[in-house]
Amino acid sequence: MPYLTSTDATLRTSGAEGLGVGVPGYAHPLLAPTEWAELNRPGTPLHWAVLNIDNGPGDRPDPHCLVAAGRLRNARERALHGEAPDDAVRAAGGRLLGHLDLAFGSRPFGELVAEAQSFLDWYRVGGFYLDRCPAERAGLPAVRRLTSTLGALLEDSDSADGGGMLVLGHGTHPHPGYAEAADQLVTFRGPWTDYRWSQVAEWTAAYDPGRFAHFVHGVPRTHLEEAMRVARWQGAGTIFFTDRDGRRGQTDPFAALPSYWDEFVSRIGPGISE
């Protein structure tokens, strides 16, 4: 299989231990009520979901987003402290992450920190998703400075249990130094036609699978099993697959549920193995 660059590579994960869903960002709750409701359904193996109002937190609290954020936060509390499902993935509960657009390093530091504070004040997010994060070594010092500051904000917040979570949305394999700057890296974001033949950077083998996320669009239902196999071989711990492809008027293929959502989430759980 052409999934790994190392010639002596072995399967990075067995079965689906730790595998879960990450949602890059659904449409506004008014436009995607079903999608947001699914995040709260008991048994959904959700690791995290991104809240993005207006390429960030917006100018003021949005009442519909406040409700959606509250429901997801309550679902997490029930999963962590109530009667949780038997398997560890589904008992973990999903975090809500605030969307910060780094614009590949062109956004001012103070502006990003201010947006982060608004997410915490208004929506009590449990972490941040740093979209369009730089991947080159030159951008690493600025990203480290930002993630260090965000980590401090999360530690001071009463909404981020466990210290919060930081995800870097590179969409490709970045310089290895970024792995020490956040909890998780998105190392693939793109179409199935590229993903099925993709290769993973060898340096990722030094890290647990939970450190990496893959988002793939245009995955046909008939290739869903193959896509899951690629993710496991490449060591992804968090995934989102959809048959939406960004065409036919779709502005964002990840903004809505895939047609096979139930089948997708059911494959992430006990009894799924290679």
Side-chain angles (χ1 to χ4, degrees):
M1 289 183 179
Y3 302 146
L4 293 150
T5 57
S6 176
T7 56
D8 61 350
T10 56
L11 186 65
R12 294 278 301 283
T13 58
S14 60
E17 293 90 346
L19 195 65
V21 177
V23 179
Y26 282 147
H28 189 280
L30 274 180
L31 301 177
T34 301
E35 281 75 4
W36 284 96
E38 281 297 306
L39 300 182
N40 306 318
R41 188 172 69 172
T44 299
L46 179 69
H47 283 171
W48 47 262
V50 176
L51 178 65
N52 184 8
I53 292 87
D54 185 18
N55 205 31
D59 297 328
R60 60 184 63 85
D62 182 300
H64 303 286
C65 292
L66 286 170
V67 171
R71 287 174 176 168
L72 186 58
R73 196 164 52 245
N74 291 338
R76 177 173 171 80
E77 284 296 314
R78 289 194 301 270
L80 291 176
H81 307 297
E83 294 184 1
D86 291 335
D87 78 280
V89 175
R90 297 168 195 271
R95 293 181 186 270
L96 185 67
L97 306 182
H99 178 277
L100 300 176
D101 182 7
L102 271 60
F104 305 111
S106 65
R107 296 281 308 284
F109 172 82
E111 190 174 284
L112 290 166
V113 172
E115 289 186 357
Q117 190 63 61
S118 293
F119 268 121
L120 288 169
D121 292 343
W122 300 341
Y123 303 107
R124 299 183 61 201
V125 296
F128 298 101
Y129 180 84
L130 281 60
D131 198 12
R132 297 202 294 171
C133 183
E136 299 78 15
R137 184 174 185 174
L140 184 54
V143 172
R144 281 178 170 167
R145 179 192 180 201
L146 178 61
T147 57
S148 177
T149 301
L150 295 177
L153 290 178
L154 288 165
E155 287 182 3
D156 291 339
S157 171
D158 62 356
S159 64
D161 56 283
M165 185 174 191
L166 299 176
V167 180
L168 303 183
H170 306 284
T172 187
H173 285 96
H175 181 276
Y178 284 94
E180 304 303 324
D183 299 292
Q184 196 172 59
L185 313 180
V186 178
T187 53
F188 186 93
R189 178 169 180 151
W192 165 241
T193 50
D194 291 342
Y195 187 63
R196 68 183 307 187
W197 304 114
S198 63
Q199 295 181 326
V200 63
E202 290 194 40
W203 64 261
T204 63
Y207 296 90
D208 292 334
R211 300 296 303 280
F212 305 105
H214 294 171
F215 302 137
V216 190
H217 59 78
V219 181
R221 181 188 296 270
T222 53
H223 289 277
L224 186 56
E225 181 178 351
E226 182 184 356
M228 300 283 283
R229 188 178 299 117
V230 176
R232 295 191 186 103
W233 269 98
Q234 294 200 3
T238 302
I239 58 175
F240 190 92
F241 297 155
T242 179
D243 50 351
R244 294 167 59 87
D245 55 15
R247 295 180 292 183
R248 297 184 293 276
Q250 300 171 5
T251 57
D252 180 358
F254 300 111
L257 291 173
S259 66
Y260 46 62
W261 171 256
D262 287 340
E263 180 180 353
F264 173 48
V265 298
S266 70
R267 287 174 178 268
I268 305 175
I272 304 298
S273 61
E274 299 300 328

